[in-house]
Amino acid sequence: MNPSNNPLKPAKNVLRSFLADIESVKNLRQCISEPKMATAFSVNDQMPIFDATKCIPAPESFWGKENAYTKLYAEAYHFRSFMHRPKTLPVPEYYKQPALHLYLIWKKEEKELFHRKCKMIPAPAKEITLSDYLQKLALEISEGNEHRDVWIESLRSFLQFIREDTDLDQQGVLDIIFPKKMELRKGHSFDANSNKVECRYILRKVENVVYPIDIFAASDIITNLIKAVLEGRPNSQRSTAEALGFAWLCLAVGSYRLVTRESPIIPF
């Protein structure tokens, strides 16, 4: 059949090849686990006696994590090569500019906040960049235990000013340090003298309807999507393939720690 008449055929071939690789890896594990008779002994040596009943190949459950990561990384043989820590992403030019310039513009626009003469976020040094200034403010919270309401209010105001002053695709750097939906959670750390000190953790607020799942559940989802693409109802295979592709894309982005955003496509 011409692939143009069956657009899912190339995708199915890739999935079948992937499943074949998985079976090949399983067979390889079986061969490694099974006892082998030693053949490198001379006639004068005593042949070791193996009791095959006591040398049982590792069960499939033993390879649980490997099997899960195989599905999550879509790679049967070398998935560990994708598990390294990625290089630091380049900082956009916007965050390399002097922070003081932006701070003064924000201060001029938010006169009401400064009119209260309360403790505000400190003005940045003249030479510090916006990226370094944001990191410094984060340290004030995490290590300095800064959590006063008016200080946090001024911080949120400044962050909102930055978000309004930047394009959407440049806000990832800011969201890494200060998530848009941010909460401060009380915690403890230890100083240089091993004394317990109070601190605050900057966390991203997660909606109650969002539940994290472990690698095994995620692997099961991928497995079922693959099966549905290959064996499911013909009228649902395309949408299932799209869901599978999007799931793998999200896993790749998360694994590489890329800053990205997916906008919903509204059909006409």
Side-chain angles (χ1 to χ4, degrees):
M1 181 182 293
N2 192 321
S4 61
N5 298 328
N6 185 8
L8 284 183
K9 184 177 180 179
K12 289 184 176 182
N13 289 339
V14 171
L15 292 178
R16 291 191 180 101
S17 177
F18 176 48
L19 294 179
D21 287 343
I22 292 176
E23 289 302 316
S24 177
V25 169
K26 289 182 178 180
N27 292 334
L28 181 62
R29 292 172 184 166
Q30 182 76 11
C31 293
I32 293 174
S33 300
E34 289 179 346
K36 301 294 182 182
M37 298 299 292
T39 58
F41 292 92
S42 68
V43 292
N44 296 323
D45 293 322
Q46 181 179 358
M47 179 65 72
I49 299 175
F50 290 98
D51 185 353
T53 62
K54 296 182 179 180
C55 189
I56 303 174
E60 193 59 28
S61 58
F62 177 82
W63 305 99
K65 286 187 177 181
E66 285 78 0
N67 292 338
Y69 284 126
T70 293
K71 300 291 179 58
L72 299 183
Y73 287 100
E75 168 57 46
Y77 294 102
H78 308 293
F79 67 85
R80 287 182 179 84
S81 63
F82 298 113
M83 301 176 75
H84 64 281
R85 186 176 182 86
K87 296 180 180 179
T88 303
L89 298 176
V91 178
E93 289 297 322
Y94 180 87
Y95 295 91
K96 296 180 181 179
Q97 65 177 308
L100 183 59
H101 170 70
L102 295 169
Y103 182 91
L104 293 176
I105 297 177
W106 167 70
K107 182 178 180 179
K108 184 177 180 181
E109 292 184 0
E110 298 296 333
K111 294 180 180 179
E112 182 180 348
L113 280 174
F114 288 88
H115 181 70
R116 303 178 194 173
K117 296 182 179 181
C118 298
K119 186 67 175 178
M120 313 289 288
I121 55 173
K126 186 176 181 181
E127 66 281 358
I128 192 172
T129 64
L130 176 59
S131 177
D132 290 339
Y133 178 56
L134 293 172
Q135 293 285 359
K136 184 178 179 181
L137 294 176
L139 288 175
E140 286 288 330
I141 296 173
S142 60
E143 296 184 5
N145 194 35
E146 178 60 79
H147 61 279
R148 288 171 292 183
D149 290 342
V150 66
W151 197 95
I152 298 301
E153 180 184 357
S154 65
L155 171 66
R156 292 184 184 277
S157 174
F158 181 70
L159 297 179
Q160 182 61 29
F161 167 78
I162 296 299
R163 288 190 169 93
E164 293 176 355
D165 194 50
T166 57
D167 295 331
L168 186 62
D169 60 357
Q170 290 187 326
Q171 294 179 17
V173 174
L174 180 61
D175 287 338
I176 289 175
I177 305 172
F178 295 107
K180 190 170 185 180
K181 295 182 178 180
M182 179 180 69
E183 68 171 305
L184 305 182
R185 185 172 299 176
K186 184 178 179 180
H188 295 89
S189 63
F190 296 90
D191 60 18
N193 298 320
S194 299
N195 296 317
K196 191 175 183 180
V197 294
E198 187 175 331
C199 67
R200 287 294 188 284
Y201 296 109
I202 303 173
L203 302 176
R204 183 186 304 274
K205 280 186 177 179
V206 179
E207 301 294 339
N208 292 332
V209 296
V210 179
Y211 298 97
I213 60 175
D214 59 25
I215 61 172
F216 303 108
S219 175
D220 288 341
I221 292 173
I222 297 295
T223 300
N224 290 328
L225 286 174
I226 293 175
K227 185 176 181 180
V229 173
L230 297 176
E231 304 174 9
R233 298 194 309 272
N235 62 347
S236 65
Q237 288 180 1
R238 178 183 176 85
S239 59
T240 306
E242 291 173 347
L244 174 61
F246 186 69
W248 265 330
L249 176 63
C250 291
L251 289 167
V253 167
S255 175
Y256 202 72
R257 302 183 184 179
L258 291 175
V259 179
T260 185
R261 186 187 302 268
E262 175 66 21
S263 299
I265 300 177
I266 302 176
F268 292 99

